[in-house]
Amino acid sequence: MHFQWYPGHMTKARRMMQEDIKLIDLIIELVDARVPLSSRNPDIDQLGQNKSRLILLNKSDLADEKYNKQWSQYFKEKGYFVASVNARNGDGLKSINSVIQQACKEKIERDRKRGILNRPVRAMVAGIPNVGKSTFINSYAKKACTKTGNKPGVTKGKQWIRLNKSLELLDTPGILWPKFEDQAVGLRLAFIGSMKDELLNTEELALELIGFLVKQYSGVLSARYGLDEQEDRFGVLKDIAENRHCIQSGGKLDTEKAANMLLDEFRNGKLGRLTLEFPE
Ligand code: G4P
């Protein structure tokens, strides 16, 4: 994971996005359905002015279905086209073709009036690291292996993947940088594993996650680890260690190991489909 974003990185990412955006009609922005706001950089709204916009709530398989629906509604109300997908197994990908046509309706109509028929929509995928951009491009383009190569004049040096006769995708995604507006955003990105764990105190992170789960998803921890959620957070972590036999050589409970295990299980969906932030 490359999560140390400092001005140099940011400036480069922004410059590349600005160049690529000139070539396209539509931005397909991926966010993590578990943290749809924390995993997006709102600067894209300014970068992508005048472009059609589609937001994909990716990893929807890991997020609470009830909130997937609410988040879809939330973004639709803000004027974006939206779809919930699972880029890993391909769920929801078929349906986005028609959403893309809708999102680009005005452009297609404009072309038609100028006598341009059947010019494919050009799109780019964008998002912060780890939201599933490469996975999405691979799954979505699986059947369409025709790379159209360089198009003189217009797209020098760029590779396009022709998905069908009405859609071409830039084969390299636009990388946005995460925006740490407050600590809560950083914490959510750490929960989903989008920050270097070495830089974090795993036990502290696990205690924060325990606090969140007990409050928002009561019963989840007790069902999985057979523990009492009324205890304080460290007591809960010790119970997880006991339940999973995380014991150090001297017989002491290994709470660090338990913390790592809890985070892994959460990230892999073993605790169920859980959303970490909710629309207002
Ligand atoms: P990026 O290009 O935006 O940086 O993300 P990338 O595609 O590398 O995906 C990051 C991780 O998220 C990968 O897991 C990928 O398999 C996983 N992923 C992507 N989309 C989905 C989805 O819809 N659902 C789920 N559950 N996972 C998804 P990884 O552990 O890094 O790699 P691997 O285990 O797949 O090898």
Side-chain angles (χ1 to χ4, degrees), residues 58-59 61-62 85-88 128-135:
N58 190 37
K59 309 200 187 186
D61 55 307
L62 298 174
V85 297
N86 174 345
R88 200 182 239 171
I128 68 166
N130 208 40
V131 288
K133 296 179 296 300
S134 314
T135 311

Side-chain angles (χ1 to χ4, degrees), residues 64-76:
D64 196 329
E65 187 53 22
K66 178 174 98 183
Y67 293 112
N68 287 345
K69 293 206 174 84
Q70 289 188 17
W71 278 115
S72 284
Q73 195 55 33
Y74 171 93
F75 285 117
K76 277 180 194 158

Side-chain angles (χ1 to χ4, degrees), residues 221-227 239-240 243-244 261-262 265 271:
L221 289 173
S222 64
R224 179 135 186 110
Y225 304 109
L227 51 78
D239 282 353
I240 295 175
N243 180 277
R244 290 302 160 96
M261 209 191 53
L262 172 68
E265 295 203 353
L271 299 177

Side-chain angles (χ1 to χ4, degrees), residues 54-276:
L54 167 62
I55 290 187
L56 297 183
L57 297 168
N58 190 37
K59 309 200 187 186
S60 60
D61 55 307
L62 298 174
D64 196 329
E65 187 53 22
K66 178 174 98 183
Y67 293 112
N68 287 345
K69 293 206 174 84
Q70 289 188 17
W71 278 115
S72 284
Q73 195 55 33
Y74 171 93
F75 285 117
K76 277 180 194 158
E77 279 165 16
K78 298 220 178 295
Y80 302 95
F81 287 83
V82 191
S84 287
V85 297
N86 174 345
R88 200 182 239 171
N89 76 359
D91 277 356
L93 294 191
K94 261 202 188 122
S95 69
I96 68 177
N97 287 334
S98 63
V99 183
I100 288 175
Q101 292 305 307
Q102 278 174 43
C104 296
K105 216 165 135 190
E106 278 177 27
K107 174 219 161 283
I108 294 166
E109 187 55 24
R110 232 179 11 250
D111 276 0
R112 201 184 57 79
K113 281 195 182 133
R114 289 160 57 200
I116 307 167
L117 293 178
N118 304 324
R119 185 168 78 80
V121 165
R122 296 223 176 96
M124 79 182 285
V125 171
I128 68 166
N130 208 40
V131 288
K133 296 179 296 300
S134 314
T135 311
F136 170 76
I137 293 175
N138 286 333
S139 305
Y140 195 49
K142 206 186 299 175
K143 287 184 207 84
C145 301
T146 17
K147 294 214 171 168
T148 55
N150 297 345
K151 291 193 177 165
V154 196
T155 58
K156 206 161 169 237
K158 297 284 167 192
Q159 286 281 333
W160 295 87
I161 306 167
R162 181 176 274 255
L163 288 160
N164 52 49
K165 64 178 186 334
S166 51
L167 181 63
E168 290 182 356
L169 194 66
L170 201 55
D171 81 339
T172 43
I175 298 172
L176 293 160
W177 51 102
K179 192 158 188 160
F180 304 100
E181 273 159 343
D182 56 39
Q183 225 198 328
V185 171
L187 199 57
R188 288 186 203 112
L189 292 174
F191 286 158
I192 62 167
S194 289
M195 300 244 235
K196 277 190 177 157
D197 271 355
E198 308 90 88
L199 300 176
L200 306 161
N201 179 326
T202 321
E203 261 189 41
E204 242 169 62
L205 190 60
L207 292 176
E208 292 285 352
L209 183 62
I210 289 169
F212 171 83
L213 293 174
V214 168
K215 187 162 166 244
Q216 297 290 345
Y217 285 100
S218 79
V220 164
L221 289 173
S222 64
R224 179 135 186 110
Y225 304 109
L227 51 78
D228 175 9
E229 292 185 3
Q230 301 300 323
E231 279 188 283
D232 65 27
R233 297 182 304 175
F234 196 63
V236 169
L237 186 60
K238 284 202 295 199
D239 282 353
I240 295 175
E242 213 169 322
N243 180 277
R244 290 302 160 96
H245 310 293
C246 303
I247 316 280
Q248 290 172 336
S249 49
K252 215 173 142 239
L253 287 174
D254 190 343
T255 45
E256 176 142 6
K257 191 169 169 198
N260 273 307
M261 209 191 53
L262 172 68
L263 289 165
D264 274 353
E265 295 203 353
F266 164 73
R267 289 168 186 169
N268 294 322
K270 301 256 169 60
L271 299 177
R273 298 175 62 173
L274 305 172
T275 295
L276 295 177

